[in-house]
Amino acid sequence: MVVRSISASRLVPMLGAALETTPAYRGLADAVRLLVADGRLPAGTRLPSERDLTNALGVSRTTVTRAYAELRDRGYLASRQGSGSVAALPGDEPDRRQGTALQPASDQFDGDVIDLTCASMSAPAGTVAAYERAMLELPRYLAGTGYHPLGLTSLRAALADRFTERGLATTPDQIMVTSGALAGLAVTARALLSHGDRVLLESPTYPNAIDTLRRSGARPVALPLDRDGWDIGAADAALRQTAPRAAYLIPDFHNPTGALMPDTQRAALGHALAGTHTVGIVDETLVDLAHDPDLVMPRPLAAHHPRTVTLGGASKSFWGGLRVGWIRAPRELMPALVSARLTLDLGAPVLEQLALTDLLGHRAQIVDERRAAIVATRDALVDALRNRLPQWRFRMPEGGLCLWVELPDALSTPLCAAADHRGVVLAPGAQFAVEGGMERFLRLPFTGHASEVVDEAVERLALAWADAQSARPSRHGRSPLVA
């Protein structure tokens, strides 16, 4: 078993003003506890020795000793033979972190229930026309078998051109069309990973990716994100300490935080990945959804680390009902990907591929219309939260479809139960955590709801938050289902 560690010099800046609390040991213990509960200090991480932390903080040894003792008493610290003091979660068991795949649920609730789980939008204008034009093309393919394991040549060419335009030279033979981006991840995992291989994932991250990788036999390892995004030094340390076979990353409007990794960090991360011979698996599902039309997007991470498999899909930019995604990979990995794909399915639907090819020809107009709807709903949500729940904290995302909200207290799961009683369906932060925690966080999508619906949702959230804080019992409701 690989045990990760954090040095005293890295831990101290994360503690904030912990020692200003009286007594100091309690402030230190509370600060470490919150780091563990939020997932910023993953369970299983070896903490600095009492001596090293004492020296780094400039406090008495007694302060650190008592803080560690309190953390052990509360279940947030464990002593392991040969590993020293290791971060833990109370009552932590192996099954605790076997997350459940998230399921789209937008059509199963009655009209009074507001679904704030699904980070997807309805079909854009022009979808029917695209299908009509696709139907005119379809007869050309009916004389064949209909199996296209790599995808239609026309669609692969259009996708390759798009990558080239973005600064990553690509030819159609580097593209495989799949039945969605998640299917692309499943193909990639089957092709490149063996049972027990470690995979580094940002935490928080997309829950279905966690579950897909676990079910492939991989062992997820958390890379905690800072409030403002990525700590490349921490990523480099995690790569060196855990030696993962692959790293699943969402650098473009990260789900759920909305953060965008700048080019300089991509270059540094690419260097770190290359240094440990780690394959990059990059999810670009949200790459088209910048909120500022003038934002200059960084080059794809694969431009900095050639041994990267890039996943994309039509569900966020266009419509989830298309069920078309793609893989862009270096040529040397394509044979393994093709072999793996043939064990899962024999190709994406021809009609949907033709429709997507048509829609890609109108991408700029569709994305502009998408952006206007997204930003309008985002602004309505932000205004309502600031008015009714000003104590909730969040960073304004640069793109994507959701806010990642930090709650004043670790009540995400109780809040979701209380919100269900109030007619709002939510997904708790814990569902997005790779190794537990995230009970102080909540994902709130903004996907085209009318402003009056947003206002009503936040009004109900405010009532549910009061319920959760007062621990008022709520009846058992629906399980949160998201996409």
Side-chain angles (χ1 to χ4, degrees):
M1 176 181 177
V2 176
V3 178
R4 286 164 295 163
S5 61
I6 184 169
S7 66
S9 60
R10 280 195 54 232
L11 178 60
V12 169
M14 299 170 68
L15 297 174
L19 298 182
E20 295 179 6
T21 301
T22 303
Y25 80 87
R26 185 160 295 158
L28 176 57
D30 284 344
V32 173
R33 177 181 59 80
L34 287 177
L35 290 173
V36 176
D38 290 352
R40 286 175 282 164
L41 193 60
T45 302
R46 183 172 55 218
L47 271 63
S49 67
E50 293 180 8
R51 176 181 298 174
D52 287 349
L53 190 55
T54 295
N55 292 336
L57 289 171
V59 297
S60 71
R61 179 71 172 269
T62 301
T63 296
V64 177
T65 299
R66 293 189 67 182
Y68 275 21
E70 179 163 317
L71 288 166
R72 288 189 187 93
D73 289 343
R74 300 178 67 177
Y76 287 93
L77 204 62
S79 296
R80 295 180 181 172
Q81 186 68 32
S83 297
S85 297
V86 177
L89 286 163
D92 197 25
E93 298 174 357
D95 288 344
R96 177 188 176 101
R97 297 192 297 266
Q98 302 299 312
T100 301
L102 307 177
Q103 305 173 41
S106 57
D107 297 327
Q108 72 170 9
F109 300 125
D110 61 49
D112 189 49
V113 174
I114 301 174
D115 180 8
L116 292 183
T117 61
C118 196
S120 293
M121 302 181 72
S122 57
T127 300
V128 171
Y131 268 92
E132 289 174 344
R133 289 188 289 268
M135 284 295 295
L136 296 177
E137 294 289 321
L138 185 62
R140 296 172 46 204
Y141 297 88
L142 296 180
T145 64
Y147 298 128
H148 299 272
L150 285 175
L152 299 184
T153 301
S154 57
L155 178 54
R156 292 164 62 206
L159 294 169
D161 288 346
R162 178 65 183 141
F163 277 110
T164 301
E165 290 170 5
R166 294 174 50 222
L168 178 61
T170 302
T171 53
D173 64 322
Q174 294 178 267
I175 301 291
M176 175 190 291
V177 179
T178 63
S179 300
L182 194 61
L185 177 59
V187 169
T188 303
R190 183 164 294 198
L192 303 182
L193 302 177
S194 299
H195 189 82
D197 281 346
R198 286 182 289 274
V199 179
L200 190 71
L201 297 91
E202 299 137 334
S203 189
T205 192
Y206 178 44
N208 281 19
I210 304 172
D211 201 58
T212 296
L213 291 167
R214 279 204 175 103
R215 290 177 184 273
S216 75
R219 296 163 55 192
V221 177
L223 171 64
L225 293 189
D226 291 342
R227 286 184 173 86
D228 296 323
W230 294 263
D231 181 338
I232 301 302
D236 183 63
L239 288 165
R240 287 186 285 102
Q241 290 180 18
T242 64
R245 176 77 176 88
Y248 172 82
L249 305 163
I250 311 176
D252 300 285
F253 310 129
H254 177 266
N255 182 7
T257 68
L260 177 66
M261 185 185 293
D263 249 322
T264 53
Q265 287 194 336
R266 294 177 191 231
L269 182 56
H271 180 75
L273 291 167
T276 54
H277 306 288
T278 301
V279 177
I281 304 175
V282 172
D283 188 335
E284 289 191 338
T285 307
L286 295 160
V287 70
D288 286 334
L289 302 184
H291 296 171
D292 180 354
D294 297 321
L295 178 66
V296 178
M297 289 293 292
R299 290 190 300 162
L301 197 147
H304 301 284
H305 180 49
R307 197 168 171 77
T308 289
V309 175
T310 304
L311 311 176
S315 62
K316 309 302 184 184
S317 302
F318 300 103
W319 183 46
L322 281 167
R323 303 315 316 134
V324 179
W326 52 87
I327 298 172
R328 187 272 179 199
R331 290 183 182 86
E332 64 269 20
L333 296 182
M334 287 300 293
L337 290 166
V338 173
S339 296
R341 199 278 171 69
L342 294 176
T343 68
L344 294 169
D345 66 35
L346 300 179
V350 172
L351 181 62
E352 275 62 31
Q353 292 188 65
L354 291 171
L356 177 58
T357 304
D358 186 277
L359 288 167
L360 286 170
H362 304 85
R363 189 193 68 85
Q365 178 184 347
I366 291 171
V367 169
D368 282 347
E369 293 171 356
R370 280 277 198 246
R371 180 184 297 114
I374 290 167
V375 170
T377 309
R378 180 204 67 186
D379 291 348
L381 178 60
V382 166
D383 289 346
L385 288 173
R386 287 174 174 167
N387 180 49
R388 290 292 285 117
L389 291 160
Q391 69 273 43
W392 288 16
R393 297 174 56 191
F394 51 85
R395 175 185 176 276
M396 187 70 82
E398 296 175 86
L401 293 167
C402 49
L403 288 181
W404 184 238
V405 176
E406 182 176 358
L407 306 173
D409 301 299
L411 294 172
S412 183
T413 298
L415 170 62
C416 291
D420 185 84
H421 183 67
R422 296 281 183 178
V424 179
V425 188
L426 302 168
Q431 288 189 267
F432 300 84
V434 175
E435 294 180 336
M438 300 289 172
E439 276 295 325
R440 287 171 60 90
F441 293 89
L442 184 72
R443 189 184 78 162
L444 294 179
F446 40 82
T447 53
H449 286 302
S451 59
E452 58 268 22
V453 176
V454 173
D455 289 342
E456 175 63 21
V458 173
E459 183 65 29
R460 296 184 192 184
L461 281 178
L463 296 172
W465 178 242
D467 294 344
Q469 286 183 304
S470 63
R472 191 170 88 189
S474 63
R475 46 182 201 197
H476 295 294
R478 310 169 186 85
S479 298
L481 307 170
V482 305

Coordinates of all heavy atoms in Angstrom, one line a residue, residues 57-110:
L57 N 5.2 25.5 13.1 CA 4.3 26.5 13.6 C 4.9 27.4 14.6 O 4.3 28.5 14.9 CB 3.1 25.7 14.3 CG 2.1 25.0 13.3 CD1 1.2 24.1 14.1 CD2 1.4 26.0 12.5
G58 N 6.0 27.0 15.2 CA 6.6 27.9 16.3 C 5.8 27.9 17.5 O 5.6 28.9 18.2
V59 N 5.2 26.7 17.9 CA 4.4 26.6 19.1 C 5.0 25.5 20.0 O 6.0 24.9 19.7 CB 2.9 26.2 18.8 CG1 2.2 27.3 17.9 CG2 2.9 24.8 18.0
S60 N 4.4 25.4 21.2 CA 4.9 24.3 22.1 C 4.6 22.9 21.6 O 3.6 22.7 20.9 CB 4.4 24.5 23.5 OG 3.0 24.2 23.5
R61 N 5.4 22.0 22.0 CA 5.1 20.6 21.6 C 3.8 20.1 22.1 O 3.0 19.3 21.5 CB 6.3 19.7 22.1 CG 6.1 18.2 21.8 CD 6.3 17.9 20.3 NE 6.4 16.5 20.0 CZ 7.5 15.7 20.0 NH1 8.6 16.3 20.3 NH2 7.4 14.4 19.8
T62 N 3.4 20.6 23.3 CA 2.2 20.3 24.0 C 1.0 20.6 23.1 O 0.0 19.9 23.0 CB 2.0 20.9 25.3 OG1 3.2 20.6 26.1 CG2 0.8 20.5 26.0
T63 N 1.0 21.8 22.4 CA -0.1 22.2 21.6 C -0.3 21.2 20.5 O -1.5 20.8 20.2 CB 0.2 23.6 21.0 OG1 0.3 24.6 22.0 CG2 -0.9 24.0 20.0
V64 N 0.7 20.8 19.8 CA 0.5 19.8 18.7 C 0.1 18.5 19.2 O -0.7 17.8 18.7 CB 1.8 19.7 17.9 CG1 1.7 18.7 16.8 CG2 2.2 21.1 17.2
T65 N 0.7 18.0 20.3 CA 0.4 16.7 20.9 C -1.1 16.7 21.3 O -1.8 15.7 21.0 CB 1.3 16.5 22.2 OG1 2.7 16.5 21.8 CG2 0.9 15.1 22.8
R66 N -1.6 17.7 21.9 CA -3.0 17.7 22.4 C -3.9 17.8 21.1 O -5.0 17.2 21.1 CB -3.2 18.9 23.3 CG -2.6 18.7 24.7 CD -3.0 19.8 25.7 NE -4.4 19.6 26.0 CZ -5.1 20.4 26.9 NH1 -4.5 21.5 27.4 NH2 -6.4 20.2 27.2
A67 N -3.5 18.5 20.1 CA -4.3 18.6 18.9 C -4.4 17.3 18.2 O -5.5 16.8 17.8 CB -3.7 19.6 17.9
Y68 N -3.3 16.6 18.1 CA -3.3 15.2 17.5 C -4.1 14.3 18.3 O -4.9 13.4 17.8 CB -1.9 14.7 17.3 CG -1.2 15.2 16.0 CD1 -1.6 16.3 15.3 CD2 -0.1 14.5 15.5 CE1 -1.0 16.7 14.2 CE2 0.5 14.9 14.3 CZ 0.1 16.0 13.7 OH 0.7 16.4 12.5
A69 N -4.0 14.4 19.6 CA -4.8 13.5 20.5 C -6.3 13.7 20.3 O -7.1 12.8 20.3 CB -4.4 13.7 22.0
E70 N -6.7 15.0 20.2 CA -8.1 15.3 20.0 C -8.6 14.7 18.7 O -9.7 14.2 18.6 CB -8.4 16.8 20.1 CG -9.9 17.2 19.9 CD -10.2 18.6 20.4 OE1 -9.8 18.9 21.5 OE2 -10.9 19.2 19.6
L71 N -7.8 14.9 17.7 CA -8.2 14.4 16.3 C -8.3 12.8 16.4 O -9.2 12.3 15.8 CB -7.1 14.8 15.3 CG -7.1 16.2 14.9 CD1 -5.8 16.6 14.2 CD2 -8.3 16.6 14.0
R72 N -7.4 12.2 17.1 CA -7.6 10.7 17.3 C -8.9 10.3 18.0 O -9.6 9.4 17.6 CB -6.4 10.1 18.0 CG -5.1 10.1 17.2 CD -4.0 9.3 17.9 NE -2.7 9.5 17.3 CZ -1.8 10.4 17.6 NH1 -2.0 11.3 18.6 NH2 -0.7 10.5 16.9
D73 N -9.2 11.1 19.0 CA -10.4 10.8 19.8 C -11.6 11.0 19.0 O -12.6 10.3 19.2 CB -10.5 11.8 21.0 CG -9.4 11.4 22.1 OD1 -8.9 10.3 22.1 OD2 -9.2 12.3 23.0
R74 N -11.6 11.9 18.0 CA -12.8 12.2 17.2 C -12.8 11.4 15.9 O -13.7 11.5 15.1 CB -12.9 13.7 16.9 CG -13.0 14.5 18.2 CD -13.0 16.0 17.9 NE -14.2 16.4 17.2 CZ -14.5 17.7 16.9 NH1 -13.7 18.7 17.3 NH2 -15.6 18.0 16.3
G75 N -11.8 10.6 15.7 CA -11.8 9.7 14.5 C -11.2 10.3 13.3 O -11.3 9.7 12.2
Y76 N -10.5 11.5 13.4 CA -9.9 12.1 12.2 C -8.4 11.8 12.0 O -7.8 12.3 11.1 CB -10.2 13.6 12.3 CG -11.6 14.0 12.0 CD1 -12.5 14.1 13.0 CD2 -12.1 14.1 10.7 CE1 -13.8 14.5 12.8 CE2 -13.4 14.4 10.4 CZ -14.3 14.6 11.5 OH -15.6 14.9 11.2
L77 N -7.9 11.1 12.9 CA -6.5 10.7 12.9 C -6.3 9.3 13.4 O -7.0 8.9 14.3 CB -5.6 11.7 13.8 CG -4.2 11.9 13.4 CD1 -4.0 12.5 12.0 CD2 -3.5 12.8 14.4
A78 N -5.5 8.5 12.7 CA -5.2 7.2 13.1 C -3.7 6.9 13.1 O -3.0 7.5 12.3 CB -5.9 6.2 12.1
S79 N -3.3 6.1 14.0 CA -1.9 5.7 14.1 C -1.7 4.3 13.4 O -2.4 3.4 13.8 CB -1.4 5.6 15.5 OG -1.5 6.9 16.1
R80 N -0.8 4.3 12.4 CA -0.5 3.0 11.7 C 0.9 2.7 11.9 O 1.8 3.5 11.8 CB -0.9 3.2 10.2 CG -2.4 3.4 10.0 CD -2.6 3.5 8.5 NE -4.1 3.8 8.2 CZ -4.5 4.1 7.0 NH1 -3.7 4.2 6.0 NH2 -5.8 4.3 6.9
Q81 N 1.2 1.4 12.1 CA 2.5 0.9 12.2 C 3.4 1.3 11.0 O 3.0 0.9 9.9 CB 2.5 -0.6 12.4 CG 3.9 -1.2 12.7 CD 4.4 -0.8 14.1 OE1 3.6 -0.6 15.0 NE2 5.7 -0.7 14.3
G82 N 4.4 2.0 11.3 CA 5.3 2.4 10.2 C 4.9 3.6 9.4 O 5.6 4.0 8.4
S83 N 3.7 4.1 9.7 CA 3.2 5.2 8.9 C 2.9 6.5 9.7 O 2.6 7.5 9.1 CB 1.8 4.8 8.2 OG 2.0 3.8 7.3
G84 N 3.1 6.4 11.0 CA 2.9 7.6 11.8 C 1.5 8.0 12.0 O 0.6 7.1 12.0
S85 N 1.2 9.3 12.0 CA -0.2 9.7 12.1 C -0.8 10.0 10.8 O -0.3 10.7 9.9 CB -0.2 11.1 12.9 OG 0.3 10.8 14.2
V86 N -2.0 9.3 10.5 CA -2.6 9.3 9.2 C -4.0 9.9 9.3 O -4.8 9.5 10.2 CB -2.6 7.8 8.6 CG1 -3.3 7.8 7.3 CG2 -1.2 7.3 8.5
A87 N -4.3 10.8 8.4 CA -5.7 11.4 8.3 C -6.7 10.3 8.1 O -6.5 9.3 7.3 CB -5.7 12.4 7.2
A88 N -7.9 10.4 8.7 CA -8.9 9.4 8.6 C -10.3 10.1 8.7 O -10.3 11.3 9.0 CB -8.8 8.3 9.7
L89 N -11.3 9.4 8.3 CA -12.7 9.8 8.5 C -13.4 9.0 9.5 O -13.2 7.8 9.6 CB -13.4 9.8 7.2 CG -13.1 10.9 6.2 CD1 -13.5 10.5 4.8 CD2 -13.6 12.2 6.6
P90 N -14.2 9.6 10.4 CA -14.8 8.8 11.5 C -15.7 7.7 10.9 O -16.4 7.9 9.9 CB -15.7 9.8 12.2 CG -15.1 11.1 11.9 CD -14.5 11.0 10.5
G91 N -15.5 6.5 11.4 CA -16.3 5.3 11.0 C -15.9 4.9 9.5 O -16.7 4.2 8.9
D92 N -14.7 5.3 9.1 CA -14.4 5.0 7.7 C -14.2 3.5 7.5 O -13.5 2.8 8.2 CB -13.0 5.7 7.4 CG -12.8 5.8 5.9 OD1 -13.8 5.8 5.1 OD2 -11.6 5.9 5.5
E93 N -14.9 3.0 6.4 CA -14.8 1.6 6.0 C -14.6 1.6 4.5 O -14.9 2.5 3.8 CB -16.1 0.9 6.4 CG -16.4 0.9 7.9 CD -17.7 0.2 8.2 OE1 -18.4 -0.1 7.2 OE2 -18.0 0.1 9.4
P94 N -14.1 0.5 4.0 CA -13.8 0.4 2.5 C -15.0 0.7 1.7 O -15.0 1.4 0.6 CB -13.3 -1.0 2.3 CG -12.7 -1.4 3.6 CD -13.6 -0.7 4.7
D95 N -16.2 0.2 2.1 CA -17.4 0.4 1.3 C -17.9 1.9 1.3 O -18.7 2.3 0.5 CB -18.5 -0.5 1.8 CG -18.3 -1.9 1.4 OD1 -17.4 -2.2 0.5 OD2 -18.9 -2.8 2.0
R96 N -17.4 2.6 2.3 CA -17.9 4.0 2.5 C -17.7 4.9 1.2 O -18.5 5.8 0.9 CB -17.2 4.6 3.7 CG -17.6 6.1 3.9 CD -16.7 6.6 5.1 NE -16.9 8.0 5.3 CZ -17.7 8.5 6.3 NH1 -18.3 7.7 7.1 NH2 -17.8 9.8 6.4
R97 N -16.6 4.6 0.5 CA -16.2 5.4 -0.6 C -16.5 4.7 -1.9 O -16.0 5.1 -3.0 CB -14.7 5.8 -0.5 CG -14.4 6.6 0.7 CD -13.0 7.2 0.7 NE -12.0 6.2 0.7 CZ -11.4 5.7 1.7 NH1 -11.7 6.2 2.9 NH2 -10.4 4.9 1.6
Q98 N -17.3 3.7 -1.9 CA -17.7 3.1 -3.2 C -19.0 3.8 -3.7 O -20.1 3.4 -3.6 CB -18.1 1.6 -3.0 CG -16.9 0.8 -2.4 CD -15.7 0.8 -3.3 OE1 -15.8 0.6 -4.5 NE2 -14.5 1.1 -2.8
G99 N -18.7 5.0 -4.4 CA -19.8 5.9 -4.8 C -20.8 5.2 -5.7 O -20.5 4.2 -6.4
T100 N -21.9 5.8 -5.8 CA -23.0 5.3 -6.7 C -23.0 6.2 -8.0 O -22.9 7.4 -7.9 CB -24.3 5.4 -6.0 OG1 -24.3 4.6 -4.8 CG2 -25.4 4.9 -6.9
A101 N -23.1 5.5 -9.1 CA -23.2 6.3 -10.4 C -24.4 7.2 -10.4 O -25.5 6.8 -9.9 CB -23.3 5.3 -11.6
L102 N -24.3 8.4 -10.9 CA -25.3 9.4 -10.9 C -26.2 9.1 -12.1 O -25.7 8.9 -13.2 CB -24.7 10.8 -11.0 CG -23.6 11.0 -9.9 CD1 -23.0 12.4 -10.1 CD2 -24.3 10.9 -8.5
Q103 N -27.5 9.3 -11.9 CA -28.5 9.0 -13.0 C -29.3 10.2 -13.4 O -29.8 10.9 -12.5 CB -29.4 7.9 -12.5 CG -28.7 6.6 -12.0 CD -29.7 5.7 -11.3 OE1 -30.8 5.5 -11.8 NE2 -29.3 5.1 -10.2
P104 N -29.4 10.5 -14.7 CA -30.2 11.6 -15.1 C -31.6 11.4 -14.6 O -32.2 10.3 -14.6 CB -30.2 11.5 -16.6 CG -28.9 10.8 -16.9 CD -28.8 9.8 -15.8
A105 N -32.3 12.5 -14.1 CA -33.6 12.3 -13.5 C -34.5 13.4 -13.8 O -35.5 13.6 -13.1 CB -33.4 12.2 -11.9
S106 N -34.3 14.1 -14.9 CA -35.0 15.3 -15.1 C -36.5 15.1 -15.5 O -37.3 16.0 -15.5 CB -34.4 16.1 -16.3 OG -34.3 15.3 -17.4
D107 N -36.9 13.9 -15.9 CA -38.2 13.6 -16.3 C -39.1 12.9 -15.3 O -40.2 12.5 -15.6 CB -38.2 12.8 -17.6 CG -37.6 13.6 -18.8 OD1 -37.7 14.9 -18.7 OD2 -36.9 13.0 -19.6
Q108 N -38.5 12.6 -14.1 CA -39.3 11.7 -13.2 C -40.0 12.4 -12.1 O -40.7 11.7 -11.3 CB -38.3 10.6 -12.6 CG -37.4 11.2 -11.6 CD -36.6 10.0 -10.9 OE1 -36.7 8.9 -11.3 NE2 -35.9 10.4 -9.8
F109 N -39.9 13.7 -12.0 CA -40.5 14.4 -10.9 C -41.8 15.1 -11.3 O -41.9 15.5 -12.5 CB -39.5 15.4 -10.2 CG -38.3 14.7 -9.7 CD1 -37.0 15.1 -10.2 CD2 -38.4 13.6 -8.8 CE1 -35.9 14.5 -9.7 CE2 -37.2 13.0 -8.4 CZ -36.0 13.5 -8.8
D110 N -42.7 15.3 -10.3 CA -43.9 16.1 -10.7 C -43.5 17.6 -10.8 O -42.4 18.0 -10.5 CB -44.9 15.9 -9.6 CG -44.5 16.4 -8.2 OD1 -44.0 17.5 -8.1 OD2 -44.7 15.6 -7.2

